[in-house]
Amino acid sequence: MATESVHIEVQPLKVNLKSTFRHAGAERSEGDSVWIRASRGELSGYGEGCPRSYAAGDDLTSSVRWVSQTFSTAKHRLPNLDCVVSWMKDNGDLIDRYPSAWCALEMALLDLFSQEQGCSVEQLLGLGECKRQGRYTAVLGDDKKWKYATIVDQYLLRGFSDFKIKLNGDLDRDREKIAILNDLCVQYGVSNPRIRLDANNLWTGRVDAAIAHLKALSGQIMAVEEPVGSGDIAGLSRVSTTLGLPVIVDESLCTLADLESLGKQPGKFMANIKISRVGGIIRALGFIEALKKLGWPVIIGCHVGETSLLTRAALI
């Protein structure tokens, strides 16, 4: 078991996106990540986290500073997986404050340790070998009509049948988005597309307005994500029970305490688990085990601007 210290380097990563992505909560034209390199000897592991103040309360500047001040010295030594797991158990509150930063650090360490042992991260964690594949959802942002239709066309051309539409809040515009998608699905012979809506907390403090808007939308919708304010558990429950529609929780599900509160509410729920938001791979796996016990469907989500590093982690 390795005991030598691991050298930690941290920096912000801002990569320009090919196009601007818009939704009710934010507009983004570049990535915004914590990037970490963990090295020992000739080997290096890399990790990434995406702080989002509107999602989990963390931001890029404080996340980079926390890692630099806490782990870039010999103050905290995390030389092997056992030490990482032990530190996590003792510092859950800190990880709740800096989930994306810890995600990046954990990923870098797992990458390094697996290289040192000559195995995959899955094997390192005792998971065996995964298939490393998934069923992907096409995400449709809040774009102008021509751009939106073009993007739908491109997704269908590539064989997508699962879609997530970012809502705008303007009823005519949201109806038009659903209609365009349904019309193009017919043209491409996609008979049963799976369509869900994402409001990104559009109706914070306005549960009645959320219900009225969603009722007025036509089409076969499988679920709606975060229609009201983040953490408004009673509001999420009311939307679900009133509409008879599953509600997907994203920003409202950051900790196991959030899950415990949601599990006591009436309604149908689905979980959108973003590895960066919940604080890394190990915590995400714990979330999924708890969700299985509740019988909730699980989506493995991502933040706009993530690199392939977090995509690889999601495949675990």
Side-chain angles (χ1 to χ4, degrees):
M1 181 181 293
T3 57
E4 298 84 1
S5 295
V6 176
H7 179 60
I8 302 297
E9 300 171 64
V10 58
Q11 66 183 70
L13 178 69
K14 291 179 176 287
V15 179
N16 290 334
L17 305 183
K18 290 184 177 180
S19 61
T20 299
F21 188 84
R22 300 176 179 86
H23 60 69
E27 178 178 314
R28 191 168 296 281
S29 59
E30 65 178 5
D32 207 15
S33 297
V34 178
W35 190 264
I36 291 181
R37 177 188 181 206
S39 57
R40 181 160 52 192
E42 297 181 352
L43 298 176
S44 294
Y46 295 89
E48 176 189 11
C50 294
R52 299 290 185 263
S53 58
Y54 56 83
D58 52 345
D59 65 81
L60 183 59
T61 301
S62 63
S63 295
V64 170
R65 183 171 57 245
W66 177 68
V67 173
S68 180
Q69 293 176 347
T70 309
F71 298 101
S72 294
T73 66
K75 181 180 178 182
H76 289 294
R77 296 179 68 253
L78 299 172
N80 53 59
L81 180 57
D82 289 341
C83 291
V84 170
V85 173
S86 178
W87 194 92
M88 290 176 62
K89 290 179 179 178
D90 294 337
N91 295 276
D93 291 343
L94 264 178
I95 297 174
D96 289 344
R97 286 176 58 191
Y98 301 102
S100 299
W102 175 256
C103 173
L105 180 61
E106 180 200 77
M107 281 179 61
L109 291 169
L110 294 180
D111 183 10
L112 175 64
F113 298 158
S114 64
Q115 290 181 59
E116 290 177 335
Q117 296 187 29
C119 65
S120 67
V121 174
E122 286 89 343
Q123 290 173 319
L124 180 74
L125 295 174
L127 301 174
E129 284 299 323
C130 302
K131 293 181 179 179
R132 296 182 189 147
Q133 63 186 29
R135 176 173 176 165
Y136 283 84
T137 296
V139 181
L140 302 168
D142 187 28
D143 295 304
K144 293 180 179 179
K145 180 179 178 180
W146 69 267
K147 183 177 179 181
Y148 177 89
T150 300
I151 293 172
V152 172
D153 186 76
Q154 292 297 308
Y155 275 132
L156 287 166
L157 201 63
R158 287 160 173 78
F160 280 82
S161 58
D162 281 42
F163 297 89
K164 178 162 81 169
I165 298 174
K166 296 286 188 176
L167 295 177
N168 170 271
D170 180 285
L171 186 57
D172 290 337
R173 189 164 169 178
D174 287 337
R175 281 174 168 166
E176 185 177 59
K177 290 180 184 179
I178 296 171
I180 289 171
L181 176 56
N182 283 322
D183 288 346
L184 286 171
C185 281
V186 171
Q187 292 181 38
Y188 276 91
V190 179
S191 57
N192 292 300
R194 286 160 45 95
I195 302 172
R196 62 187 194 263
L197 308 175
D198 189 357
N200 288 101
N201 314 114
L202 181 60
W203 292 285
T204 297
R206 298 182 294 143
V207 179
D208 290 334
I211 291 171
H213 189 95
L214 294 168
K215 271 186 177 180
L217 296 177
S218 58
Q220 293 185 332
I221 306 302
M222 61 166 283
V224 60
E225 184 168 338
E226 291 287 341
V228 295
S230 175
D232 184 357
I233 294 173
L236 293 170
S237 173
R238 197 164 138 234
V239 169
S240 178
T241 54
T242 302
L243 299 176
L245 193 66
V247 167
I248 301 170
V249 286
D250 182 352
E251 295 88 356
S252 297
L253 186 59
C254 294
T255 67
L256 286 173
D258 294 334
L259 180 58
E260 184 178 356
S261 297
L262 282 160
K264 297 175 182 177
Q265 294 291 324
K268 300 176 182 177
F269 297 100
M270 302 172 68
N272 184 350
I273 298 296
K274 293 174 180 169
I275 295 172
S276 178
R277 193 195 70 241
V278 302
I281 294 171
I282 295 173
R283 296 225 315 185
L285 291 169
F287 255 104
I288 290 168
E289 287 305 309
L291 289 162
K292 285 179 179 179
K293 292 177 182 177
L294 289 174
W296 288 20
V298 178
I299 298 162
I300 304 300
C302 66
H303 290 294
V304 175
E306 287 186 6
T307 76
S308 57
L309 219 62
L310 272 167
T311 300
R312 171 64 180 91
L315 291 175
I316 295 176

